[in-house]
Amino acid sequence: MERSFSGIQPTGDLHIGNYLGAIRNWVDMLDDYDCIFSIVDLHALTLKYDRAQMAQRTLDAVAVNMACGLDPAKCTIFVQSHVKEHAELCWILDSVTPMGELGRMTQFKEKSKQHPENVNVGLFNYPVLQAADILLYKGAVVPVGGDQVQHIEFAREVARRCNSAYGQVFPEPQALLSKVARVMGLDGVNKMSKSLDNHIALTDSPEVIHSKLATAMTDPARKRRTDTGEPTKCNIHSLHQFFSTPEQIRWAEEGCRTAGIGCLDCKKVLADNIAAVLSPIQERYAKIRADMNTVKRAIAEGDERARKIAAAVMTEVRDVLGLYVG
Ligand code: TRP
């Protein structure tokens, strides 16, 4: 099986945008790829973070992903900082990376603007560590969202550069883009995101989902119940595509265009459907949270498998670099 590698930021606060855009695709890949997932805690150090929460957030990230269907019996889930070769390979890749290229990366420019008080070397070097993550396992495919394409392109470039400087050692990883490019937030303006507070969390109860949707943006033309609307201009309609049956979608479209139904009727059906999708995930999550040992065991096993692969690849890398290997 081809190997897939992906990195997950250490947070358990995920929303339906994360689920539709990323996690669901990872779950779908489990039978067809040798999947490796890393909780990238070293990457998380590049922004200000809460020391008291980091360890728990790492566990939560694994717990939530397991609850969504990332079965540790079918893949490898490990913690990046537990495999020291990530930092080691990062240094080696640093030595073939021109500074100018990193300075031009979109994420670096954005993050530097957002946090002008904390433009650290780690933030600058972030893409190299990410390339090291992938290449350390000779990852062939990397399932990611569109915002990461530039980083995967960079990893390909790094692989090519190493191969031509030192000899064939790394495959060029291929980005595997999720079909759902962008899930809009409840404000109808921005991409769904926790920091903008326009999201439905995977842990939201049916009541919370209903009340969040009740105030969510719709087609602005429908000010009154009797106004007709255009579904394609409505954010709720776009969410229906992910959660509702074709009959429900047709019912909503027609009702909207003829003012046969109100926005609240339409939202209610959507809220019920979202709650139904989240309910089994929340049940599994509650069970996993009640026994975090399953999570810890999954990580310990994942760490061990990751370390084995990483050690073998690093031996090969040191050799092609011409380092004295004894
Ligand atoms: N940068 C990725 C993100 O923010 C996370 C990540 C780190 C990653 N290392 C990776 C993704 C390796 C894919 C492969 O989402």
Side-chain angles (χ1 to χ4, degrees):
M1 278 201 280
E2 263 192 317
R3 181 164 291 156
S4 160
F5 185 98
S6 200
I8 305 170
Q9 294 280 348
T11 168
D13 289 345
L14 300 179
H15 52 70
I16 56 174
N18 301 121
Y19 178 72
L20 298 169
I23 306 174
R24 204 177 50 167
N25 302 302
W26 298 336
V27 174
D28 285 343
M29 290 175 73
L30 292 180
D31 290 327
D32 303 324
Y33 292 87
D34 170 14
C35 292
I36 304 185
F37 301 101
S38 181
I39 308 300
V40 290
D41 52 352
L42 296 177
H43 277 109
L45 304 182
T46 59
L47 296 177
K48 285 256 177 300
Y49 69 97
D50 184 351
R51 278 177 59 225
Q53 285 189 16
M54 183 60 113
Q56 188 59 45
R57 282 173 169 270
T58 300
L59 292 173
D60 284 344
V62 177
V64 169
N65 280 284
M66 279 172 64
C68 289
L70 223 57
D71 179 357
K74 289 189 178 177
C75 63
T76 302
I77 308 177
F78 76 99
V79 176
Q80 186 188 31
S81 66
H82 295 186
V83 182
K84 60 185 180 349
E85 282 87 351
H86 287 256
E88 187 181 358
L89 184 57
C90 181
W91 179 261
I92 288 168
L93 303 183
D94 272 339
S95 309
V96 297
T97 301
M99 304 248 297
E101 229 168 88
L102 295 178
R104 285 192 290 275
M105 300 301 277
T106 308
Q107 187 172 305
F108 172 68
K109 288 195 282 191
E110 276 176 14
K111 293 267 148 67
S112 315
K113 223 188 271 166
Q114 284 163 15
H115 311 277
E117 75 298 339
N118 188 22
V119 184
N120 59 74
V121 175
L123 202 58
F124 183 69
N125 211 19
Y126 185 112
V128 185
L129 181 59
Q130 181 162 347
D133 294 343
I134 301 163
L135 301 183
L136 190 50
Y137 302 90
K138 299 195 175 185
V141 298
V142 188
V144 283
D147 63 325
Q148 292 299 312
V149 167
Q150 194 181 37
H151 285 165
I152 310 309
E153 280 302 320
F154 172 78
R156 288 170 68 85
E157 184 69 41
V158 171
R160 232 173 285 145
R161 230 178 258 134
C162 286
N163 292 342
S164 72
Y166 305 126
Q168 184 64 35
V169 54
F170 298 121
E172 284 178 34
Q174 188 90 51
L176 206 62
L177 275 180
S178 73
K179 279 169 240 106
V180 176
R182 192 171 142 92
V183 177
M184 289 301 282
L186 301 179
D187 55 7
V189 185
N190 298 294
K191 188 173 157 176
M192 187 173 284
S193 117
K194 184 176 172 290
S195 57
L196 294 173
D197 201 20
N198 63 2
H199 67 297
I200 292 177
L202 293 183
T203 49
D204 281 345
S205 67
E207 296 72 42
V208 172
I209 297 171
H210 276 274
S211 77
K212 280 188 180 174
L213 281 183
T215 56
M217 183 71 172
T218 56
D219 176 0
R222 286 200 85 179
K223 287 193 189 65
R224 267 176 298 265
R225 168 72 176 75
T226 48
D227 293 336
T228 58
E230 174 46 46
T232 52
K233 292 188 184 149
C234 179
N235 188 34
I236 297 303
H237 178 257
S238 79
L239 284 172
H240 266 295
Q241 310 305 311
F242 302 121
F243 294 98
S244 303
T245 64
E247 293 75 43
Q248 287 172 326
I249 293 172
R250 256 190 319 253
W251 164 84
E253 286 173 351
E254 203 186 294
C256 180
R257 290 200 174 105
T258 59
I261 61 168
C263 289
L264 276 178
D265 305 315
C266 182
K267 286 172 166 182
K268 194 177 161 332
V269 170
L270 176 64
D272 286 341
N273 291 345
I274 295 177
V277 169
L278 296 189
S279 153
I281 294 174
Q282 294 176 355
E283 251 170 60
R284 278 194 298 268
Y285 187 60
K287 270 202 201 113
I288 294 169
R289 287 297 307 254
D291 176 18
M292 285 303 269
N293 283 328
T294 34
V295 172
K296 291 177 183 167
R297 246 191 330 267
I299 292 175
E301 279 166 23
D303 285 351
E304 201 185 339
R305 170 141 195 271
R307 279 190 202 112
K308 260 194 207 125
I309 301 169
V313 172
M314 276 315 295
T315 302
E316 208 183 313
V317 169
R318 284 185 214 103
D319 189 44
V320 296
L321 283 170
L323 301 177
Y324 175 60
V325 289

